Amino acid sequence: MLAKRLIPCLDVADGRVKKGVNFVDLTDVGDPIEIAAAYQQQGADELVFLDITATNEHRKTMADLVERVSRQVFMPLTIGGGIQSVADMQRLLRAGADKTAINSAAVAHPELISAGAQKFGNQCIVVAIDTAWDEQQQRYRVYTHGGQQATDLDALTWAQRCVELGAGELLVTSMDRDGTKRGFDDRLYQALGRVVNVPIIASGGAGKLADFTDVFTQTPVDGALAASVFHYGELTISDVKQALRTEGVPVR
Amino acid sequence: MFAIVDYDTGNTLNLQKALAYLNVPTTLTADPAVLANADAVLLPGVGAFGAAMAALEQRQLVQPLQALARSGKPMLGICLGMQLLFETGLEYGQHAGLGLLQGRVVPLPTDRGVKVPQMGWNQNQLQRVNSPFAAIDQQYTYFVHSFYADCPAEEVVASVHHGVAVPSIVQRGNVVGMQFHPEKSGRVGLAQLESFRKMVVTNDASSN
């Protein structure tokens, strides 16, 4: 049986790892390679690097970073942030990434999903979706550009469309929960699990052990992503895995 | 020196990085003479079975690889490279493989309540106790694939469960295959590459 995955997310700006709380207030927490090696040691199942500056210059820096990390760290690496084209994906995959995550560019140009999937295989294409509950419309609405631009897209419909186009995995962030430490948006992941059949990674809201056991026992997600709780040592990967094991959740 | 078969099929660089980390020198080559002089031949691969065999044929590597395997050269196929070691592949039609191991490569069933492709960490169950790769037992390794080897038990060193029993390590003498990515499986994966290296050294000692 496949193990459920714990995925630390490293937000990268200027070659350093940052964590934005609710997408603002950056705090420096260190060197990407050292952190990646430490997470491998701790038993993280995968790492996500997000380029949060995402200019052309930074994209090149990101490929260099992936190249260096993949010489020292032997685990699946997903890279996202500012990927605009198949050429961007190719550069990152060649540098040593296993998957590339696209977000705003996928909304603007959905054909990028299918082009990437055809060239590299579905397993290389992760679509990242930022969403928040719209109380008035009673639905989850998709946001782009780091959560700053609202779209008319319904998150569940968009998720299905992404999968039809060839997304091999969905990384879905609840903006309502991101940075709050109030737990994952379990209702969102339950709803997603009913409409798509590719791996779903939950993101946003991790604060305590029970948040992880809840999302893995109450929803069909395959992985849970977190940043600050891991970066600041509030929870360790092994604490979380022990708690999951106790609940009968398969972990590595 | 380990030779990695260069036939333009996917990411060989991460495999090279893992071997470099273990201080194993590698060369990427499509030259049969270089393959013949290497201590071991590594066959990586990502993509579809038929396209990969066509790429090997185009480079006139099918017969040299078969001859090297039969001469006792240690050979390690990884992911699709492992699948190519078998007789037949049923991905987008029926294709002949290298035929070094008995069995055929078939789609993972989609009606067993598991997601296909299998993508993630799965736990190995050792099937052959006396194996250079026995340390794999109960350990998790990283898989990304949609097809698997349907083969006789005698070829199987270890397997994982994903709807069906999926061979994760296969071996017949000097020919070894790993369905998972050892270069992406943390210290467990590196240890398996190390086990292969030990097998190569032992093979070398016994043939001298």
Side-chain angles (χ1 to χ4, degrees):
Chain A
M1 196 189 301
L2 281 179
K4 298 291 185 178
R5 292 177 261 157
L6 292 181
I7 308 172
C9 178
L10 308 172
D11 286 357
V12 176
D14 306 320
R16 303 277 295 171
V17 174
K18 316 272 175 171
K19 169 60 187 172
V21 178
N22 276 338
F23 298 116
V24 291
D25 294 342
L26 298 180
T27 313
D28 196 337
V29 286
D31 172 53
I33 296 167
E34 267 179 54
I35 293 177
Y39 276 129
Q40 175 173 257
Q41 188 67 27
Q42 281 185 30
D45 299 303
E46 192 169 326
L47 291 174
V48 171
F49 287 90
L50 280 183
D51 177 357
I52 56 171
T53 44
T55 59
N56 278 324
E57 193 184 331
H58 283 104
R59 269 198 290 281
K60 199 155 169 285
T61 310
M62 202 64 175
D64 294 343
L65 185 148
V66 177
E67 163 64 25
R68 286 183 293 135
V69 169
S70 61
R71 288 185 181 281
Q72 301 293 325
V73 175
F74 299 98
M75 62 196 290
L77 304 173
T78 300
I79 313 298
I83 294 169
Q84 304 284 349
S85 65
V86 167
D88 288 344
M89 294 175 185
Q90 183 159 34
R91 183 161 49 181
L92 291 165
L93 293 169
R94 284 194 61 87
D98 298 277
K99 310 180 207 177
T100 55
I102 49 178
N103 188 334
S104 304
V107 172
H109 305 287
E111 65 277 10
L112 184 57
I113 301 170
S114 39
Q118 275 161 28
K119 188 158 172 74
F120 310 113
N122 298 18
Q123 78 282 351
C124 289
I125 310 301
V126 178
V127 177
I129 301 175
D130 293 337
T131 185
W133 178 250
D134 187 321
E135 188 59 36
Q136 200 173 0
Q137 296 184 7
Q138 290 291 299
R139 61 174 189 148
Y140 286 99
R141 184 196 276 260
V142 175
Y143 288 73
T144 59
H145 298 85
Q148 289 165 26
Q149 286 185 24
T151 72
D152 281 334
L153 291 170
D154 171 86
L156 300 183
T157 312
W158 174 234
Q160 286 172 288
R161 175 107 176 95
C162 293
V163 173
E164 283 163 18
L165 288 168
E169 186 160 285
L170 301 176
L171 165 55
V172 183
T173 300
S174 162
M175 295 165 57
D176 298 325
R177 299 299 179 92
D178 199 57
T180 67
K181 302 195 176 174
R182 285 171 43 227
F184 293 97
D185 188 346
D186 294 342
R187 188 183 58 156
L188 168 63
Y189 303 110
Q190 285 160 358
L192 281 164
R194 283 192 287 271
V195 296
V196 297
N197 192 32
V198 299
I200 300 167
I201 309 302
S203 159
K208 55 188 186 300
L209 289 176
D211 298 338
F212 289 93
T213 53
D214 283 351
V215 79
F216 284 120
T217 56
Q218 308 299 319
T219 87
V221 296
D222 299 81
L225 177 143
S228 54
V229 287
F230 293 142
H231 295 337
Y232 299 123
E234 292 162 28
L235 296 176
T236 66
I237 301 280
S238 65
D239 289 342
V240 178
K241 287 196 172 178
Q242 192 51 50
L244 291 170
R245 239 176 243 121
T246 306
E247 294 293 320
V249 176
V251 290
R252 182 164 71 101
Chain B
M1 175 73 74
F2 283 15
I4 301 176
V5 180
D6 181 9
Y7 65 120
D8 223 15
T9 167
N11 204 339
T12 53
L13 293 175
N14 283 330
L15 181 59
Q16 280 186 295
K17 288 173 191 170
L19 289 162
Y21 189 83
L22 296 170
N23 296 314
V24 178
T26 55
T27 183
L28 193 59
T29 183
D31 181 348
V34 176
L35 294 173
N37 283 323
D39 298 313
V41 171
L42 270 54
L43 184 62
V46 174
F49 194 103
M53 283 305 295
L56 288 178
E57 271 158 22
Q58 196 197 342
R59 287 162 180 77
Q60 300 186 313
L61 285 171
V62 173
Q63 281 166 358
L65 286 171
Q66 288 169 331
L68 284 171
R70 287 180 182 133
S71 76
K73 178 76 70 186
M75 194 173 281
L76 172 61
I78 293 172
C79 197
L80 177 63
M82 167 198 131
Q83 297 180 355
L84 299 180
L85 302 174
F86 287 89
E87 295 160 304
T88 313
L90 298 177
E91 187 172 6
Y92 300 115
Q94 180 165 331
H95 307 276
L98 293 171
L100 303 171
L101 299 173
Q102 296 175 64
R104 49 190 207 138
V105 175
V106 300
L108 283 168
T110 52
D111 59 355
R112 310 287 171 94
V114 295
K115 290 172 184 172
V116 175
Q118 163 163 238
M119 191 158 75
W121 297 84
N122 206 334
Q123 189 175 30
N124 289 272
Q125 309 296 332
L126 189 66
Q127 307 296 339
R128 187 191 298 170
V129 177
N130 294 316
S131 160
F133 306 99
I136 198 71
D137 195 29
Q138 305 303 314
Q139 301 295 319
Y140 282 86
T141 50
Y142 186 72
F143 293 81
V144 182
H145 65 118
S146 300
F147 289 73
Y148 77 105
D150 177 16
C151 65
E154 65 205 67
E155 310 284 29
V156 179
V157 173
S159 62
V160 297
H161 197 78
H162 190 70
V164 290
V166 174
S168 53
I169 301 182
V170 291
Q171 183 193 5
R172 172 178 287 254
N174 56 306
V175 177
V176 181
M178 296 180 185
Q179 178 64 71
F180 56 86
H181 286 276
E183 77 281 15
K184 283 287 167 183
S185 296
R187 59 179 175 78
V188 170
L190 295 177
Q192 288 299 308
L193 288 174
E194 192 64 52
S195 298
F196 178 73
R197 173 164 64 176
K198 282 195 191 120
M199 190 193 106
V200 173
V201 172
T202 310
N203 178 78
D204 202 38
S206 63
S207 62
N208 282 340

